[in-house]
Amino acid sequence: MRILLINPNSTRSMTEQAHRSAERVAAPETRIEAVNPTSSPASIEGHADEAMAVPAMLAEIRKGEARGIDAYVIACFDDPGLGAARELARGPVVGICQAAVQVAMTVATRFTIITTLPRSVPIIEDLAETYGAGHRCRKVRSVDMPVLALEEDLAHTEEMLVQEILRARQEDGAEAIILGCAGMSELCDRLKLRTGMPVIDGVTAAVKLAEALVGGGYATSKVGAYDYPRTKDVALPHVSEAIA
């Protein structure tokens, strides 16, 4: 089984971290490949960054299809371009936010998501609602750190997350925590140990879900919305003709 993990931003160190997390949980027969575009924003922090990252991400999926990749993991918690990616792919495409939410709803009755910047909070709240978890997600919290700052001082990042997890348990009544950024994935086990809370990392959740879907023989439906994009055969008019 071949799974392609795509980090839609252009920061290689973040891709490598997500790759290590994915390989740690992958089954022995699963081969994890990890890529990131070089033309995308260095981090994805908002709608504009998402929009700029999607074209290059879709290009990686087209390359993967040509190489016979079995499934894809989109390693950005905003799940950018997920519908478009599923149109291009034969096999399953799993976003790390959707995977983490599905795991959280299975292992707990209520949960809190902890992300990076405050501007990401409404985006993630909307995603939780879209994935049917609006009533189970008690709060989306922010540690108010830029994505790229997470790996600059891991000890500080860990401490910030620990304190936010404890507040989520006390103030939100959270029974589980979702880490709302792929850049937090390697801290997952330490955060579990330090807080005594179930902590869910979307990267590992998505890898295990992708393995299960491929192993069960499930592919992306090509009946309806996720059908392959239509080929546009009609030539566009010349600019002068369009103006006329």
Side-chain angles (χ1 to χ4, degrees):
M1 186 186 305
R2 297 171 67 196
I3 296 175
L4 182 63
L5 183 150
I6 304 174
N7 170 18
N9 73 41
S10 59
T11 300
R12 187 63 196 170
S13 59
M14 192 170 295
T15 307
E16 292 168 351
Q17 184 214 179
H19 192 191
R20 290 191 296 269
S21 296
E23 288 193 317
R24 180 173 54 81
V25 300
E29 67 275 12
T30 299
R31 178 181 171 190
I32 306 285
E33 303 174 30
V35 296
N36 61 263
T38 57
S39 58
S40 295
S43 61
I44 297 178
E45 297 168 327
H47 296 293
D49 287 342
E50 286 184 37
M52 289 188 286
V54 167
M57 182 191 80
L58 297 181
E60 295 294 343
I61 290 178
R62 290 190 181 95
K63 294 176 190 175
E65 288 298 283
R67 296 191 293 113
I69 292 294
D70 295 302
Y72 302 85
V73 169
I74 307 302
C76 171
F77 204 80
D78 289 358
D79 287 355
L82 191 56
R86 287 172 174 163
E87 288 185 22
L88 295 180
R90 172 190 54 82
V93 182
V94 184
I96 65 172
C97 177
Q98 186 173 18
V101 166
Q102 289 173 337
V103 169
M105 289 198 296
T106 302
V107 303
T109 64
R110 60 194 72 187
F111 60 89
T112 288
I113 301 172
I114 301 177
T115 189
T116 51
L117 291 172
R119 68 178 301 157
S120 297
V121 169
I123 295 172
I124 294 172
E125 287 175 339
D126 288 348
L127 283 174
E129 188 72 34
T130 297
Y131 297 146
H135 62 298
R136 304 277 288 275
C137 179
R138 294 309 168 110
K139 193 174 182 67
V140 179
R141 290 174 169 268
S142 160
V143 291
D144 201 9
M145 293 177 64
V147 170
L148 297 181
L150 294 174
E151 58 186 9
E152 290 178 0
D153 186 344
L154 282 177
H156 175 66
T157 299
E158 180 181 327
E159 196 59 39
M160 294 283 285
L161 287 168
V162 165
Q163 296 307 314
E164 206 64 41
I165 289 170
L166 295 177
R167 280 192 285 268
R169 179 174 183 171
Q170 180 67 30
E171 298 171 14
D172 308 344
E175 300 170 356
I177 300 295
I178 293 176
L179 299 179
C181 179
M184 300 173 178
S185 64
E186 284 195 315
L187 293 172
C188 187
D189 288 343
R190 288 183 56 81
L191 294 171
K192 290 177 188 176
L193 288 173
R194 290 192 60 186
T195 64
M197 290 281 286
V199 180
I200 300 160
D201 158 46
V203 172
T204 54
V207 166
K208 299 312 291 184
L209 180 56
E211 285 183 332
L213 289 168
V214 174
Y218 298 107
T220 301
S221 172
K222 295 304 172 185
V223 180
Y226 289 152
D227 195 4
Y228 294 109
R230 294 181 61 208
T231 301
K232 309 299 189 297
D233 295 324
V234 179
L236 294 175
H238 190 271
V239 173
S240 61
E241 295 174 0
I243 294 174

